[in-house]
Amino acid sequence: MADATVPAPPASQGWQSARRRAFALGLAPSLIVLLAITLVPAAALLVASFTPLSLTDPAGTFHFRDPLGNYRHLLEDARFLGSIATQLKLSAASVALQLAVGLGLALLLNGPSRVLGAARGAFLIPMVLPPIVVALIWKIMFTPDVSPLHRALDAIGWPVRSVIANPDTALWAIAFADTWQWFPFTMLMVLAALQMMPADPIEAASLDGADRWQLFRYIVFPHIRPVLVVCGLFRLIDSFKAFPLIFVLTDGGPGTVTEVTNYYGFIQAFNFSYWGYASAIAMVILAGVFTLSWLVGRLGWNDHDKR
């Protein structure tokens, strides 16, 4: 007669199952807190964007008679559309400058010398400064009455107007300050890629008579291109956070030439108390950032995986 008892699972399977349960139970509190502090505020922002929430009319704010009214009004708001154009110009200028300066310095500082190592450390200082400190530094540098740069130019007979008070240069001044703070990020990433690059292809090409430009164009650049793509997209996402620079340096002016989208949302919320409308602006920014994050995955990491 056959034995009808069910065989016991191997000891290793029981151990793996208990290990998975322990991991799940250990991570559960952190996941619950993470969801609470991320999803709940995002849900509140989304709900507020469907209402005419305003501190000037607290009695009639939380109703949903026209949930898409804020978004429809955004399409007709010339100042909001102008702020998007300003954001695109600021992002394009600052990201292009950060990639160019970071790449150039990474190529210059790629070597085993102690002097180059010290220079690499010095160039990282702006990146670790708090944004408000960076904004105050450049507020001093761009203010003619106290700026050592302006005083030096005055001394040699070349006085220069304040670049942050000039509508033609104010946005460029913010892009320059943002580049000063964040080009070390690109430099650091490209340096890491260069130092992991195998030496054999460069040595073989040098023996075949390739000059420096050909080595960079056909060997070095293809190796660091995925890193540059990821750096560019990360910096593009972060360029939406230039709020401290704009708040301290120009306050959105002169006029509205430096008023980017998040600063316009800040004005609507804290100057005019239109919280529902400002929430709709924030949701549009959030959608844009999510789209850029998706691009990071598609163009950055996937391209790296194909190598």
Side-chain angles (χ1 to χ4, degrees), residues 89 161-173 253-254 257-258:
K89 285 191 286 188
R161 292 177 53 195
S162 172
V163 292
I164 55 176
N166 185 343
D168 296 327
T169 57
L171 194 63
W172 285 103
V257 294
T258 61

Side-chain angles (χ1 to χ4, degrees), residues 223-281:
H223 179 77
I224 63 175
R225 187 175 61 86
V227 175
L228 286 174
V229 171
V230 173
C231 286
L233 290 171
F234 272 130
R235 292 308 313 145
L236 187 60
I237 293 171
D238 264 0
S239 66
F240 285 82
K241 302 177 186 174
F243 184 89
L245 286 174
I246 296 170
F247 183 79
V248 173
L249 293 181
T250 64
D251 197 19
T256 58
V257 294
T258 61
E259 188 177 271
V260 296
T261 310
N262 59 3
Y263 199 81
Y264 182 55
F266 167 80
I267 290 173
Q268 290 292 330
F270 293 97
N271 288 13
F272 305 143
S273 297
Y274 295 148
W275 289 78
Y277 193 58
S279 299
I281 294 173

Side-chain angles (χ1 to χ4, degrees), residues 113-143:
S113 165
R114 290 185 179 179
V115 176
L116 293 181
R120 287 195 292 267
F123 279 121
L124 293 180
I125 291 175
M127 192 174 67
V128 300
L129 294 176
I132 193 67
V133 173
V134 174
L136 290 173
I137 289 172
W138 286 103
K139 181 72 173 179
I140 294 171
M141 294 299 292
F142 290 147
T143 302

Side-chain angles (χ1 to χ4, degrees), residues 28-73:
S30 301
L31 290 176
I32 291 172
V33 172
L34 186 63
L35 290 175
I37 63 176
T38 55
L39 293 184
V40 172
L45 188 71
L46 180 63
V47 171
S49 73
F50 295 138
T51 72
L53 179 61
S54 171
L55 298 184
T56 60
D57 183 20
T61 51
F62 278 108
H63 62 74
F64 298 89
R65 287 192 291 271
D66 186 12
L68 298 181
N70 288 327
Y71 294 95
R72 197 166 50 249
H73 184 60

